[in-house]
Structures are given as structure tokens and as C-alpha cells.
Amino acid sequence: MTHTLPLHAGWQFKARAPQTPLNDDFAADSDWAAASVPGTVHQDLLATGRIPDPNVGLNELDVQWVGETDWLYQLEFDAPSMESGEQADLCFDGLDTFAKVWLNGELILESENMFVPRRVSVAGQLREGSNELRVLFSSALLRGQGIEAELGKRQLWNGDSSRLYVRKAQYHYGWDWGPVLMTAGLWRGVRLEVYAARLDELACPVSVSDDFKRAEFPVSVDVKGKIAGNVVLELLGPDGAVVASETRPAAGSVAHTFSVENPALWWPAGHGEQPLYTVRAGLEDGTSSELRVGVRSIRLIQEPVADEPGSSFFFEVNGMPIFCGGANWIPDDNFLPRISPERYRTRLTQARDANMVMIRVWGGGIYEDDVFYDVCDELGLLVWQDFMFACGMYPAHTEFQASIREEAEVAVRRLRHHASLALWCGNNEDYQIANSVGAYGPGGDESKFDALSTYEELLPEVCSRLNPATPYWPGSAFGGPNSTDQEIGDRHTWDVWHGAMAPYQDYPKYEGRFVAEFGMQSLPSLALLESVVAPEERFPASRTLEHHNKAGDGPRRLNVYIGDTVPIPADLPGYVYASQLMQAEALDSAYRGWRRRWGRDGKRAVSGALVWQLNDCWPVTSWAIIDSSGQPKPAYYAIKGALKPVSVGVTVTGKGAEVWAVNGTTEVQTVTLDLRALTLEGKELSAETRELKLAANEVTELGIFAAEHDAASTIVAATLNQDGSVIAREVRWPEPFKYLTLPDPGLKVEVTGPNALSLSVTRPAKGVWLESAPETVWDDNMLDLLPGETRVVRTQKLSPSNLTARWLGAEETVRVGEFERA
Ligand code: BMA
């Protein structure tokens, strides 16, 4: 039986005194303080008040010394007694980053890659009774700058350029949405394992026949050490019952393939269930290891697009093409150990509840925690997994590539069994920066693109050897002669916001076969801002507010987009609302426009839209659609509406309002389409009802409506109804909104249940934003309301006494009680 002794309690840490010899520094009694493991020095300094909270005000600037300091950790622990022939391994799941480890005075490990867990055999060094572990973390910033001084500065976007030489989460160096917080510490678990034999490398690359009638589960496991007896391999069904088992002598590599007829298939969210099988290996002494796997096929299809140049880029799961609406994921905190399993689950559930089916783990963060992928398996969220390279011209010298190889092998071995894993991707935007410096693309000198061999040889070799069933893609964005190509591969659409600062209404023009990034900034919630900004700094352009917007030219660009859309408010509550309304409109335009191009079989022109970005790591004005307090912004609800299984779209052109519907389900849908044209005062100009049959997994164009009305003063509303309820809606108002004179809507809000409200208006209302308890999620919000309808919305936590509403044209946020009385 493997005895596992977690080594999490009792650690101490202190700043290294550079003038003192290392051993004396460790031996000195003074200055040691309790350290959390898993943890970071910042968290422990914060806990004892030795640094101010870097998320608050301008404090980030005052804590930079932490990242420029070397840190010492030590632990005394009692080792269990060992029997003869037993092994002992010290396991460090994550060391951040340049670490040296001594056990009882002997150097047992040097590690320079945060992403590689280490296992060290220590039977020879371990003492019976008390043992002493010591760890030195050198400043990653200073070490990286030392390497850079030797090997040369390289081009990049975001952060200190030395990061390109350091295998540490790249966002720790600061990003255009994140602070500079250079952590150090034992950021994942530490334990001592004592065993006669242990199980390693349990693997099961499930496959399914072309007709999906039969699945194979080829289980393999390595038995390390010596044990007399057998290993039992088992397959458990989604209900937890043992489906089959096999007993083999426990020696070396053991393998057996289980077959299952009519397996339960795993589907992405909204397309079917997520049944998960378990494969388990067990030794007679009780040691066991298990994996949860799913039966599904996944293919990345690049085929001709009828009547168009280039090729498609869509994911097919179990033979079904899937439009991948979704989001980019960044680490949910600057201090990684703070992200609890519950927080992962909450955030990913928010994504699933917004009708998303894909999450991209972006290359400037980390290979996420196991729980992240477990939850994605359970929720049916496909994972686009980047390798951890972002926005830089990375080196490729032998030593560096050896570290990358180790890192990639560990990541692929750890994650390959997840049903949710859809794609391995070489990097984030490294082809784009290579393009921009003349090292790639037409006329580019590829000899300057050192990392090309990493993305096109090293990583694909690792993936095809260890995980051949999952597609590999060299980079995001990639494909076509250069990385902004619209006809081949994936694309990052930054023509809006960055680049040309194109109007967001033009998103549809800047399509790609798969848009893996695009986004628009907004402020976080007012409540979150008030928790980190001093009262005298609570105005739109204050120093503190601008410190909490890390984008180059961020506040200026944001003002342009707000000012293109609505009059720019001078007060903070108005500014928060205006920025969030604008972001919601922008993303609605992108999702609806691109999903319209999902087309049909043989004509999948645009097959995915992943918003930059789902989440935040601190309180900041950023492209996130959920702020760091967990509060969804209005854009969240806009995306949720645009990605409904069946949705409707309207766009106003010179010829009238073009209307279309998307049926993302596997069945024909019979629906009623209601179209209305109204004046801003709410007078109905025309109305039309049509019975429709929407073909499965297709877009249906529904023609032009309201051509006879003046587009500058007409509201066009489309709803799809099924079995007496509205299943999708879209309301288009004349744009830009800032030109409109909007009447008071006469909003009426009634609390109709513990968590439900009913809303109605006497004149049209644009962008009704409800707030109640903080951190609450609504089933819908940021509503466009029209006379003649009553909308019921629900929320997780309703606090009627704190209920407020605001809408476009309102002078201020109103307490619901107040205008009910009026
Ligand atoms: C992208 C990302 C990030 C960045 C974002 C916004 O392309 O890859 O590097 O935060 O743009 O600029």
C-alpha cells in the first residue's frame, strides 16, 4: 500500500538576506513566518499584513519588491518508518519557479520550470524521525533578466521581455488586463510517498467505431517497484457499476483492452448527455489509480466551403458538426492557489449556462488544475488547450527546448484522457508577432523565427506520440499565408478595439473560419470598483481607475467606443453602465453575425466564436464578460441569447431589416416567427407572423422586413415562439443610440416570487439592467422591453430592498421601490 504523507502543514518562509551565507540564513532563527502550501509568498505576506492588497488602489506598485527578492522555505517533518525494500519519493506538484531543494542538508532537486511536477527518490536521504526540507526560490524576474543579458532581448507584446526565457506563467509578468505580480512558492501540493510498489502512467485512449456501436478501452498501467500478486484492471460504467474486469500479474507494463457494445456517447453541452466511464487499476495491497473517460470521436474538419475560397475549420463530435460558441479562459486569480475547486466549478458553470460549448485555455496562463478539466468533462465544455507560449519570439536553444519537451510530455500525459479535450494548440499569437517583425508570412525570413521548430516539430511530435487522437494546431491564430487570413484556419479578430478600431457593428465583416479571439472592454461592476477604489477616486478618468485598465491606450480606446455609441457619462455609475451596454451590443453583433455564417453541411463558413475573455484575475476594466467578483456583465447575457440552441438575428441594412434563424439542434424545429416594427414611442408600424420549419443544425435566412419604414427611427423586434413560449428574441434599435431621443419607458417592476420579477413598460426601453444582491446571476438581464409584453426574470439571490434598475436614457440608477411608487 502506498503511504502518502501530505507535506502542507508547518512550513515557514522568509526573505533571503543576500549578505548572509545561505546555510547561516537558513539556520538563523529570526524572521521566519508561517507559510501556506500550496501557496505563494504574496498570499502569506498579505495574510500577516506585511504587504497591502495589490488588488486595491495603486498597491500593486508598492509590492514589486516581492518579485525581486529570493525566498527561503523550510519544513521539519517526521517520516514514517519504512520496511525493507520500500521506496520513498518526495513529490512536488509545482515549484514556482527557480527552485533548489535540500533534504537533511543534501541537494536533492533543482527545478526551473513551474509547469513540471517533480518526483525525487529520497529513500537514501530520509531519516527515521525528524527530517528537514529546505527550499530556495530565486527571483524569477532577476534570473530571467540575467539569462536575457547573456542571450539577448527578444520581441514581445506584454510584460517584461525576460519572461520569454522563463517557464513561468507568463501573465505573472503583467498583461494588458493583469497586474505585475511575480509570485514564488510551492504553488501545488507536496507529499512524501512510501511504497513497495506503486502504479504509474495509467492510460486509456478510448476509441469508438465509425458507426458508434462499439467502443474500445485499451487500458495500460506501469507497476513500479516490487510486489507479489496481481493487478486488477476494471471498467466502470457511467452509473458506477463494474462493466468488466481483468486480473494480470503485477509486473512491469500491464495492458488490456475492454470492448463495450452500444456505448453511452459523450456530447458537448446542449447536444446530448455527458456520460463518463471510469477505468481503474488496483494492486492487492489496496493501492489504486483511476481515470474518468468518455466515449466520443472528435475531428477538426478543414474541407471546401461551397462557393467560397479557402476551407472550413470546424469541430465534429460523434460525426456531428458543432458550432463552437465559447470563450477564452485566463487564470482566475493572480495567486493561483486561491482558485478553489468550487470557484472553478462556478466559473465554468457560468460559461455552460451562457450556452457556450468551448473554452480555450490561453497560452499565457497555466495548464489548468485537474478539477478544471474534470468539470469541463461533466458540463460538456470542449477544451481548446494552448501550450504555454504567448505573444513573443521565444528562444529555442537546446536547454530551453529540453525543458519544453518535458513540460509538454507531462501536460499531454496528464490531460489526454479527458473527454472534453478537443485540441492541442502550439501557442498564442506567436505567428502573429513573427509576422509583424518580418519573421513569418509572405516575404518573411523564417530563419529569425526560432520557435518555429517548437510549434511545427517538437510539440506535434509529442502530441502524435502521446495523444494521436486529439488534433494538433500549430498556433492561434494560424492558417493561410498570414495569421490574419480570413479563409483558412483560425483568426483573432482585433480589427475592432485594436488595429483599425473598426466600429463594432462591422464585426461580421471581420469574420474568420473560426474566430478564436475578439473582444470589447467594459468596466467591472460598480460594487467591485467601490471595494477597491477610494471614494475620492471614483470618477471615470481617475488615476486609480486608469491604473485598473492595463491595455495600451485602454482608457482612450474605451472612450472612443462608448462615445460612438452613447453620450459619455461623467459619473462613475453612468460610465460603468455605458461601457457595459456598449460591450454587450458589440459582442451581440459579433456572435449573431458569425453564427449566421454557420450555414449548413458543405458550407460551414464560420464555425466558432470564442470571446476574449471569459474571466478576470483581479478588479479591472478589461474584455472580460464576468468580473473578478464573479458578477456577469451585461455582455454575458447578450452572448447567452445569441448562443441559444435556437436563435434569431436581425440586422438593419439599407434595404430593410434582414432576419435569419439558427437551429443548432439535431432536430427540425417548428416555430412561429413574430416580427414587429415600432416607433421609439412604441406605436406599432407593422407586424407579421410566420409559421416556420427550421432545418436541423442549419441557418435559415428569413428575408427582409420593415423595408418601408425609416430605419433611423424604427425599432425592429423578432421573436421565435414554440409551444406558447418565446424561445428566442432580438430587438434592433436605430444606431447610433446617442442620436435617439428616448421617452421615459414607464417601467413597472413587480416582485412576483422569492427570486422572480415581472417587468412591463408603456413605451420601449433599451438596456434595462437590474441589480440586486452582489455576485448574483440572473436568467436574463440587460433587457430590451416593448409595450404589450410582460417579461419574467429570475435570479439566484433577490434582495428586494436593494433592487435597482437603469436603462438607456435614464439619468441615474433607480431603486425599484421608488419608481413603483411614482
Ligand atoms: C489577445 C490575447 C491577449 C490579450 C488580448 C487583448 O490576442 O492573446 O494577449 O490580452 O489579445 O489584447
Side-chain angles (χ1 to χ4, degrees):
M1 178 80 177
T2 301
H3 296 282
T4 302
L5 180 68
L7 299 177
H8 294 164
W11 285 89
Q12 295 188 303
F13 84 119
K14 70 172 180 180
R16 165 106 176 83
Q19 310 308 333
T20 311
L22 185 63
N23 277 336
D24 298 347
D25 206 3
F26 268 119
D29 280 343
S30 54
D31 297 334
W32 291 99
S36 53
V37 172
T40 62
V41 287
H42 287 86
Q43 286 168 267
D44 295 322
L45 294 170
L46 192 54
T48 51
R50 280 182 290 163
I51 56 169
D53 186 346
N55 285 358
V56 172
L58 304 178
N59 292 344
E60 177 202 352
L61 306 173
D62 296 332
V63 305
Q64 291 307 312
W65 64 271
V66 180
E68 293 155 15
T69 303
D70 296 346
W71 295 93
L72 305 182
Y73 276 67
Q74 68 174 15
L75 172 72
E76 282 200 15
F77 67 95
D78 282 339
S81 60
M82 287 171 58
E83 286 168 27
S84 87
E86 279 193 324
Q87 297 289 315
D89 295 350
L90 265 176
C91 303
F92 299 89
D93 288 341
L95 293 157
D96 176 11
T97 291
F98 290 95
K100 281 189 177 186
V101 184
W102 293 265
L103 176 62
N104 300 325
E106 212 172 309
L107 181 67
I108 57 163
L109 172 65
E110 284 188 72
S111 180
E112 305 197 340
N113 187 326
M114 169 181 173
F115 305 121
V116 181
R118 305 290 179 186
R119 171 183 284 273
V120 193
S121 168
V122 293
Q125 289 86 2
L126 210 60
R127 294 187 199 136
E128 218 172 309
S130 177
N131 286 266
E132 181 193 61
L133 256 182
R134 288 176 167 176
V135 186
L136 162 67
F137 289 102
S138 314
S139 156
L141 183 67
L142 302 183
R143 282 288 294 271
Q145 287 175 342
I147 302 171
E148 181 183 56
E150 211 177 296
L151 300 180
K153 243 192 195 345
R154 313 180 67 90
Q155 277 132 318
L156 84 168
W157 299 320
N158 297 298
D160 186 88
S161 54
S162 67
R163 71 174 173 82
L164 301 176
Y165 289 107
V166 182
R167 298 312 295 148
K168 172 173 174 61
Q170 301 283 281
Y171 81 107
H172 288 170
Y173 290 82
W175 217 263
D176 57 6
W177 35 260
V180 181
L181 288 168
M182 292 290 287
T183 52
L186 297 140
W187 72 289
R188 279 179 169 162
V190 184
R191 66 193 178 279
L192 176 71
E193 287 185 9
V194 176
Y195 57 90
R198 68 180 176 88
L199 296 166
D200 199 22
E201 291 279 319
L202 178 63
C204 183
V206 186
S207 66
V208 59
S209 61
D210 290 346
D211 61 3
F212 303 102
K213 295 246 164 72
R214 184 185 169 88
E216 309 255 280
F217 296 76
V219 185
S220 63
V221 69
D222 290 348
V223 182
K224 299 255 160 116
K226 287 193 207 81
I227 191 167
N230 292 320
V231 55
V232 179
L233 303 179
E234 286 177 308
L235 176 67
L236 283 68
D239 59 357
V242 177
V243 174
S245 79
E246 180 74 16
T247 303
R248 292 288 174 88
S253 292
V254 180
H256 176 75
T257 299
F258 295 108
S259 297
V260 172
E261 302 298 322
N262 298 315
L265 296 181
W266 183 96
W267 287 95
H271 295 80
E273 303 289 307
Q274 290 79 42
L276 294 166
Y277 290 79
T278 301
V279 290
R280 185 189 291 159
L283 294 172
E284 284 170 10
D285 68 3
T287 301
S288 71
S289 173
E290 57 181 54
L291 295 177
R292 260 188 344 170
V293 296
V295 179
R296 91 285 185 267
S297 68
I298 187 139
R299 296 201 300 151
L300 172 59
I301 310 283
Q302 293 183 268
E303 62 177 24
V305 180
D307 314 318
E308 296 191 27
S311 46
S312 66
F313 189 98
F314 68 86
F315 291 88
E316 189 193 77
V317 180
N318 303 332
M320 185 194 197
I322 308 277
F323 180 85
C324 290
N328 283 273
W329 173 273
I330 63 165
D332 208 54
D333 204 304
N334 293 302
F335 305 139
L336 291 161
R338 284 207 294 216
I339 315 172
S340 64
E342 297 72 39
R343 187 156 147 195
Y344 274 114
R345 186 174 291 276
T346 302
R347 200 68 69 248
L348 290 165
T349 303
Q350 287 175 321
R352 194 276 317 268
D353 288 349
N355 297 313
M356 294 185 173
V357 301
M358 182 177 268
I359 295 290
R360 172 170 172 244
V361 179
W362 166 76
I366 59 167
Y367 305 95
E368 277 296 345
D369 200 89
D370 287 338
V371 71
F372 177 97
Y373 305 94
D374 287 340
V375 173
C376 288
D377 289 346
E378 289 168 23
L379 296 178
L381 288 168
L382 296 168
V383 176
W384 171 312
Q385 178 68 48
D386 282 2
F387 284 96
M388 293 300 122
F389 304 93
C391 302
M393 297 294 291
Y394 283 88
H397 47 283
T398 313
E399 196 188 349
F400 192 72
Q401 280 203 333
S403 185
I404 294 170
R405 179 178 295 281
E406 207 179 2
E407 163 189 330
E409 289 185 353
V410 166
V412 175
R413 286 202 162 98
R414 179 167 69 92
L415 304 182
R416 61 187 169 185
H417 66 280
H418 285 281
S420 53
L421 183 67
L423 185 78
W424 288 105
C425 172
N427 67 75
N428 173 74
E429 293 191 351
D430 292 355
Y431 283 90
Q432 214 148 315
I433 189 164
N435 255 153
S436 77
V437 301
Y440 190 74
D445 173 4
E446 289 186 4
S447 71
K448 293 196 214 144
F449 192 178
D450 298 328
L452 207 54
S453 63
T454 301
Y455 312 136
E456 298 193 9
E457 290 162 37
L458 192 162
L459 296 174
E461 185 282 321
V462 169
C463 289
S464 67
R465 180 162 43 85
L466 298 177
N467 186 200
T470 305
Y472 174 83
W473 187 246
S476 184
F478 180 82
N482 66 52
S483 50
T484 54
D485 191 88
Q486 294 193 275
E487 292 157 5
I488 299 174
D490 72 318
R491 182 174 205 268
H492 290 186
T493 286
W494 285 111
D495 313 72
V496 177
W497 180 269
H498 289 300
M501 289 185 76
Y504 64 72
Q505 289 84 352
D506 287 351
Y507 262 128
K509 275 194 214 163
Y510 298 104
E511 67 176 31
R513 295 302 183 206
F514 189 109
V515 185
E517 278 187 19
F518 66 100
M520 177 55 72
Q521 277 200 350
S522 73
L523 274 71
S525 72
L526 187 63
L528 176 59
L529 285 173
E530 287 178 349
S531 71
V532 298
V533 180
E536 65 278 13
E537 287 286 283
R538 293 178 192 163
F539 59 93
S542 74
R543 183 189 297 274
T544 309
L545 253 287
E546 295 205 346
H547 178 78
H548 286 252
N549 183 341
K550 296 295 189 184
D553 275 348
R556 300 170 75 194
R557 284 172 194 263
L558 181 58
N559 271 344
V560 169
Y561 282 101
I562 297 175
D564 281 353
T565 310
V566 292
I568 301 183
D571 64 307
L572 192 55
Y575 195 73
V576 168
Y577 173 84
S579 73
Q580 294 188 343
L581 171 86
M582 181 279 294
Q583 183 195 32
E585 290 293 318
L587 300 185
D588 184 76
S589 145
Y591 275 94
R592 289 198 203 252
W594 292 331
R595 198 172 174 212
R596 183 183 188 183
R597 296 270 292 145
W598 176 232
R600 55 182 154 75
D601 279 344
K603 199 171 170 51
R604 303 291 187 194
V606 178
S607 305
L610 308 181
V611 68
W612 184 266
Q613 66 214 62
L614 181 72
N615 55 335
D616 268 335
C617 60
W618 78 313
V620 65
T621 293
S622 79
W623 301 268
I625 58 161
I626 301 173
D627 72 25
S628 66
S629 72
Q631 180 76 61
K633 299 178 182 178
Y636 173 88
Y637 300 99
I639 294 171
K640 182 179 182 181
L643 291 180
K644 282 189 165 193
V646 179
S647 100
V648 65
V650 178
T651 187
V652 177
T653 68
K655 296 185 211 127
E658 291 177 16
V659 185
W660 67 92
V662 187
N663 174 4
T665 74
T666 46
E667 280 149 34
V668 174
Q669 299 289 338
T670 306
V671 295
T672 308
L673 169 71
D674 277 332
L675 291 165
R676 290 169 83 192
L678 302 100
T679 65
L680 294 174
E681 293 288 332
K683 182 170 163 274
E684 192 161 280
L685 298 170
S686 55
E688 196 181 313
T689 297
R690 284 193 232 161
E691 301 301 323
L692 302 172
K693 277 200 188 316
L694 303 175
N697 208 4
E698 275 195 28
V699 176
T700 307
E701 292 292 334
L702 301 170
I704 293 196
F705 175 72
E708 65 281 22
H709 306 307
D710 175 12
S713 59
T714 305
I715 299 169
V716 178
T719 53
L720 293 180
N721 305 277
Q722 198 172 45
D723 305 327
S725 25
V726 176
I727 58 164
R729 69 173 83 232
E730 167 83 323
V731 183
R732 290 297 348 142
W733 295 61
E735 293 181 68
F737 305 142
K738 62 183 174 182
Y739 291 165
L740 307 180
T741 308
L742 296 167
D744 185 298
L747 176 66
K748 195 160 166 262
V749 182
E750 262 181 86
V751 177
T752 53
N755 293 317
L757 300 177
S758 145
L759 299 108
S760 59
V761 289
T762 48
R763 282 169 294 275
K766 169 80 199 154
V768 179
W769 178 242
L770 300 163
E771 279 181 332
S772 173
E775 291 169 50
T776 192
V777 181
W778 300 75
D779 66 349
D780 200 0
N781 206 337
M782 206 62 165
L783 311 160
D784 288 353
L785 300 174
L786 300 176
E789 59 172 18
T790 301
R791 288 278 285 282
V792 175
V793 291
R794 291 185 174 76
T795 177
Q796 291 167 336
K797 280 182 251 168
L798 183 62
S799 156
S801 55
N802 292 325
L803 184 62
T804 62
R806 189 173 186 119
W807 55 90
L808 183 62
E811 269 166 29
E812 55 182 8
T813 307
V814 199
R815 283 202 170 275
V816 163
E818 286 169 20
F819 61 86
E820 262 182 341
R821 276 197 303 275

